[in-house]
Amino acid sequence: DQQVKQNSPSLSVQEGRISILNCDYTNSMFDYFLWYKKYPAEGPTFLISISSIKDKNEDGRFTVFLNKSAKHLSLHIVPSQPGDSAVYFCAASYSGGGADGLTFGKGTHLIIQP
Amino acid sequence: DTEVTQTPKHLVMGMTNKKSLKCEQHMGHRAMYWYKQKAKKPPELMFVYSYEKLSINESVPSRFSPECPNSSLLNLHLHALQPEDSALYLCASSPGQGPRNTEAFFGQGTRLTVV
């Protein structure tokens, strides 16, 4: 049973445009959400997070939106740059457990075209 | 400093070997994790240490044995592995307390090949 879903295996966006990556979750206990960027054979790099008490968090070119009622979050990257080409993982956790680990989606491969 | 350091970067071992993976962080994090990632799959949680005590074992076979010598170090001892255990092994740490307690930072991973 997949608790975190990223339904788009890949996404192609032109340089300079907005990239929107989507993520859905099913477990109502999740209250903290994170996005990671990953290159092949490297560890995931933390990008941005959001707590369930917020609906938006912004950090430079990256903005994460959370819709709790729909159990949906999205990552917006604007403007998209060639270096953004990577696999993006959405992850979720239950922060009340102290240290429960993260549940990851399957990832979306973002390709930024020049 | 948001660095988690893993050694070695690459490891090739036979099915009868014993080896260890090492992980270190100096962010004062009190939770440390081992994840396993196969190609084109998301990372899968193996073990969680919270305040140097094993708090989660996700039904991992006993041929994988974690150890947390102190709050900065995490080891994964490997013995009698199978070829299907070949994967990227990722260590991570998170604060373990406070509003961002699960915000994990990952090491670069150890690429393990079992022959």
Side-chain angles (χ1 to χ4, degrees):
Chain A
D1 177 30
Q2 223 184 319
Q3 298 185 70
V4 177
K5 299 176 187 179
Q6 292 177 258
N7 292 322
S8 298
S10 67
L11 175 67
S12 185
V13 174
Q14 277 217 298
E15 183 180 356
R17 302 276 191 140
I18 183 170
S19 295
I20 300 176
L21 295 95
N22 292 304
C23 177
D24 299 291
Y25 62 97
T26 58
N27 188 337
S28 300
M29 294 292 287
F30 289 146
D31 61 357
Y32 201 81
F33 305 90
L34 308 92
W35 285 94
Y36 288 86
K37 175 180 179 180
K38 190 177 185 303
Y39 295 115
E42 292 187 6
T45 301
F46 171 73
L47 280 176
I48 193 168
S49 62
I50 188 166
S51 164
S52 60
I53 62 173
K54 295 185 174 182
D55 54 18
K56 178 182 174 181
N57 188 24
E58 197 171 348
D59 184 1
R61 296 186 299 115
F62 303 94
T63 304
V64 57
F65 296 91
L66 176 62
N67 182 333
K68 273 181 61 179
S69 60
K71 294 192 176 67
H72 176 82
L73 60 154
S74 60
L75 174 68
H76 292 211
I77 306 172
V78 57
S80 300
Q81 299 174 353
D84 296 331
S85 294
V87 176
Y88 288 77
F89 287 100
C90 170
S93 66
Y94 169 54
S95 63
D100 276 355
L102 301 174
T103 301
F104 284 86
K106 289 189 173 181
T108 296
H109 186 193
L110 177 63
I111 302 159
I112 305 301
Q113 295 185 333
Chain B
D1 179 12
T2 57
E3 192 169 324
V4 176
T5 304
Q6 287 187 245
T7 55
K9 283 190 166 37
H10 301 277
L11 179 62
V12 179
M13 60 184 290
M15 289 188 283
T16 58
N17 290 160
K18 283 186 183 180
K19 296 285 185 185
S20 297
L21 309 185
K22 297 186 182 301
C23 176
E24 191 168 359
Q25 58 89 15
H26 295 287
M27 294 178 275
H29 287 173
R30 303 314 302 267
M32 295 187 77
Y33 311 81
W34 282 112
Y35 286 82
K36 173 182 177 179
Q37 185 176 26
K38 302 279 266 185
K40 299 191 188 304
K41 299 280 189 184
E44 290 182 0
L45 185 66
M46 299 174 72
F47 301 104
V48 180
Y49 272 83
S50 179
Y51 290 81
E52 298 154 55
K53 289 189 177 5
L54 182 64
S55 59
I56 295 177
N57 175 342
E58 291 286 0
S59 303
V60 180
S62 60
R63 57 186 184 268
F64 295 91
S65 175
E67 179 197 16
C68 188
N70 60 54
S71 60
S72 300
L73 296 175
L74 185 66
N75 299 323
L76 185 62
H77 303 297
L78 314 172
H79 174 53
L81 294 194
Q82 304 296 312
E84 59 264 29
D85 296 321
S86 298
L88 183 67
Y89 288 83
L90 295 162
C91 173
S93 70
S94 73
Q97 59 184 344
R100 302 170 79 159
N101 62 345
T102 60
E103 197 165 285
F105 292 87
F106 284 80
Q108 290 300 291
T110 294
R111 171 66 61 187
L112 174 67
T113 303
V114 181
V115 297

